[in-house]
Amino acid sequence: MAIKIAIIGLGYVGLPLARLFATKYPVVGFDINQNRINELNSGIDSTLEINEATLKAVLKPSSSTENGLFCSNTIEDIQDCNYYIVTVPTPVDKNNRPDLSPLYKSSETVGKVLKKGDIVIYESTVYPGVTEEECIPVLERISGLKFNVDFFAGYSPERINPGDKEHTVEKILKVTSGSNPEIGIKVNNLYKSVITAGTHLAPSIKVAEAAKVIENSQRDINIAFVNELAKIFNLLDIDTHAVLEAAGTKWNFLPFKPGLVGGHCIGVDPYYLAQKAQEKGYHPEIILAGRRLNDSMGEYVASQVVKLMIKKGVTINGAQLLMLGITFKENCPDVRNTKIVDVVHALSDYGIQITIYDPWAKPSDVKHEYQLETTTELPKSTFDAIVLGVAHKEFESMDLEILKKSNSVLFDVKGVLKEKADGRL
C-alpha cells in the first residue's frame, strides 16, 4: 500500500517535518488553528522555520495522492492517510505538572479516522509510558479498534531546535521505535527515507520516550550547575565567564554557560520525568534541585540589576529600564515559556518601569501569553538601565550608548557584550 502521511499539529515541530516528508510522500498537515492553515497555504510561516520559497515548493492545492503538502483543519482530509504523526506541544500547568490535554485531543482526532493497518507515531515529549498507557487507550476507545491487532503505534522524539538553520530536521539523527519489532522496522524505514543524518531504532517505545526526556534533563542539570557557579563567583568578585574559558581548555570539560532556561523543552521536560518517578514512589533530588535553581534565575538577575543601579545612584522606584529581548532564545520568534518574563515581573515589583523591545517577537503573541506590552521598534528614549536578555543578532551591533543616561546600568544576561557591561551572569 502506498504511504500517505498526516502530520497532526503544524507548529515548530510539525511543519518542518511535514515539509520534509512532502518531498517524497503525499502529506496532509492538520491543525485546528484556521489562521495557521490560511497562512501556510499562502506560503507564510510565522514561526520563521520554513522560508516562503521552500514552503511553496512543496505545497499542493488538495489532499491527493501526489507528493507534496496540503494543509487543512478539516478532519475528512486526513481520513485516507495510513501514517499519523502527532507533533502537538506537551506543556506543564501552573504547578509544573504535565498537561497531556493536547495529546488526548489529538488522539481523539486521529481515533475518528483510524483504520485497520494504520500506524500512529507520537513525537511529543512525554514521560515513559504515555504513548501506550495514555494515548493508545484513547485511540482504541474512539476508533473501536484493537491495539497491535488492528492498528499499531510508534514513538520518535522530536529534536527540533527552533531558529537553528544549521541543524535542521533532516540533519539531526532520529530515534525511532514501534509497538512491535515489525512496526519498529516500518517506522524506522519511514524516517530513514528522509533523514539524511540517519536513524537509531530503539528496542521499545518506552526506551525512546525515556531517551528524549533525559536529553533535556541532562542539559538542564548542567546549566543549573554553571548557574550556581555564577552565583558563587559573583559573591567572590570573580568573572564566571573567564573561569569557564580557563576550565574549558581541558579536553573533557563541558562547555555550558550560565543563563535563563526557558523554552518548550529544557525548562519543561524534567518535570515530566519527575512526575513519573514520583508516581512510582521515588523523589528525584538532582533533577528537581536543578529545576529549582534554574527557575530562580529570573529573580536573581533582577536583584543583580537593582544592586548595580543602587551603586550608581539610580532611584529605583519609577526608574526607566529597557529590556532587550523577550523570546526564549536568540534569533527566533518563539516566546513559549520564556524566562525573561520572570525578570520583568521581578523588576516590576521594585517599581521599575519597563519597556520591552524585541524585533523578533510578535507583540500580539506576547500580549496573549503574558499580558505584557512589547514593541518591535527601537525606542528613542534614554534609560536608567538596559538589560540584554536575549542575544538577537540585531543587538550585537547596536549602539547602546545612545540609549543610556550618564549613570545608566548595562546588564548582560547572555554574556555577549564582554567589557561593555556593568554586570553579567
Side-chain angles (χ1 to χ4, degrees):
M1 182 185 294
I3 291 172
K4 187 172 183 180
I5 303 168
I7 305 292
I8 312 300
L10 295 175
Y12 284 88
V13 175
L15 181 63
L17 189 67
R19 196 284 311 172
L20 180 61
F21 273 125
T23 61
K24 287 199 174 183
Y25 303 101
V27 177
V28 181
F30 179 87
D31 199 290
I32 60 174
N33 187 332
Q34 179 67 65
N35 291 334
R36 177 68 169 158
I37 296 299
N38 291 342
E39 72 171 19
L40 292 177
N41 280 329
S42 66
I44 303 300
D45 171 27
S46 60
T47 69
L48 306 182
E49 292 300 298
I50 308 295
N51 64 49
E52 185 174 351
T54 302
L55 181 55
K56 285 185 173 179
V58 297
L59 285 175
K60 60 180 182 177
S62 65
S63 176
S64 64
T65 56
E66 297 177 357
N67 293 353
L69 173 63
F70 174 67
C71 299
S72 172
N73 66 337
T74 304
I75 193 169
E76 287 77 17
D77 289 326
I78 62 172
Q79 63 186 2
D80 60 342
C81 295
N82 45 26
Y83 280 86
Y84 295 89
I85 303 179
V86 178
T87 62
V88 296
T90 44
V92 292
D93 63 19
K94 63 181 181 180
N95 298 313
N96 291 322
R97 292 178 61 84
D99 177 7
L100 299 179
S101 56
L103 274 179
Y104 292 142
K105 290 175 182 176
S106 58
S107 296
E108 289 175 358
T109 297
V110 173
K112 292 174 183 177
V113 295
L114 201 60
K115 307 171 297 301
K116 286 190 175 183
D118 288 352
I119 298 175
V120 185
I121 304 168
Y122 290 88
E123 288 215 1
S124 306
T125 301
V126 294
Y127 55 77
V130 166
T131 298
E132 291 158 298
E133 297 165 13
E134 301 289 342
C135 298
I136 296 304
V138 175
L139 293 173
E140 287 187 315
R141 175 171 56 84
I142 300 296
S143 69
L145 301 176
K146 188 168 179 59
F147 176 52
N148 265 349
V149 175
D150 300 317
F151 74 94
F152 307 90
Y155 182 81
S156 180
E158 61 89 0
R159 282 176 167 170
I160 294 292
N161 188 23
D164 189 338
K165 304 309 178 187
E166 179 182 354
H167 301 98
T168 50
V169 60
E170 67 271 23
K171 297 176 184 176
I172 303 172
L173 195 143
K174 203 84 164 71
V175 173
T176 63
S177 64
S179 53
N180 64 39
E182 180 186 354
I183 297 303
I185 292 171
K186 284 189 175 183
V187 171
N188 191 64
N189 287 340
L190 179 70
Y191 282 99
K192 188 187 291 185
S193 69
V194 293
I195 303 292
T196 56
T199 58
H200 173 85
L201 177 56
S204 70
I205 287 176
K206 283 188 174 70
V207 167
E209 290 171 327
K212 168 59 180 176
V213 81
I214 71 164
E215 289 174 17
N216 289 322
S217 297
Q218 182 187 69
R219 285 186 57 80
D220 193 41
I221 292 166
N222 278 309
I223 296 170
F225 172 60
V226 294
N227 275 338
E228 188 163 64
L229 292 180
K231 290 184 175 183
I232 294 169
F233 292 144
N234 280 344
L235 290 171
L236 298 175
D237 197 24
I238 298 173
D239 187 333
T240 303
H241 291 265
V243 173
L244 294 174
E245 184 179 356
T249 59
K250 189 181 181 188
W251 74 91
N252 61 351
F253 186 83
L254 300 177
F256 288 92
K257 293 182 179 180
L260 301 171
V261 185
H264 65 298
C265 285
I266 300 178
V268 172
D269 296 357
Y271 287 120
Y272 274 75
L273 186 56
Q275 165 81 8
K276 190 63 176 179
Q278 289 167 333
E279 285 178 5
K280 295 296 182 180
Y282 179 79
H283 182 74
E285 297 184 22
I286 294 176
I287 293 171
L288 291 179
R291 273 287 75 229
R292 284 193 297 272
L293 197 143
N294 284 338
D295 279 345
S296 74
M297 292 304 290
E299 290 270 0
Y300 177 74
V301 167
S303 69
Q304 295 301 108
V305 171
V306 169
K307 284 179 183 179
L308 287 169
M309 293 170 71
I310 292 171
K311 286 181 180 179
K312 284 204 169 187
V314 177
T315 301
I316 302 302
N317 191 19
Q320 299 292 320
L321 183 144
L322 176 63
M323 176 63 71
L324 296 176
I326 189 70
T327 61
F328 94 89
K329 66 177 291 188
E330 64 275 6
N331 307 323
C332 170
D334 194 350
V335 298
R336 291 175 297 172
N337 195 34
T338 173
K339 294 303 178 182
I340 299 296
V341 170
D342 294 351
V343 182
V344 170
H345 287 157
L347 289 169
S348 297
D349 286 343
Y350 286 98
I352 297 172
Q353 305 300 308
I354 302 169
T355 300
I356 304 170
Y357 165 57
D358 194 317
W360 286 80
K362 289 176 65 174
S364 58
D365 289 347
V366 181
K367 181 72 172 178
H368 178 264
E369 288 288 330
Y370 305 108
Q371 293 74 56
L372 292 173
E373 301 291 340
T374 62
T375 178
T376 56
E377 299 291 331
L378 181 64
K380 296 182 179 178
S381 310
T382 55
F383 296 87
D384 298 297
I386 301 171
V387 177
L388 187 141
V390 187
H392 290 319
K393 59 187 179 183
E394 289 86 350
F395 299 159
E396 293 180 15
S397 58
M398 184 185 297
D399 183 6
L400 297 176
E401 294 302 316
I402 63 172
L403 300 169
K404 296 168 67 176
K405 298 179 181 177
S406 58
N407 61 339
S408 292
V409 164
L410 175 59
F411 191 90
D412 181 10
V413 174
K414 299 297 293 184
V416 296
L417 299 177
K418 298 181 181 178
E419 68 280 352
K420 296 180 184 177
D422 298 295
R424 58 176 176 168
L425 279 181

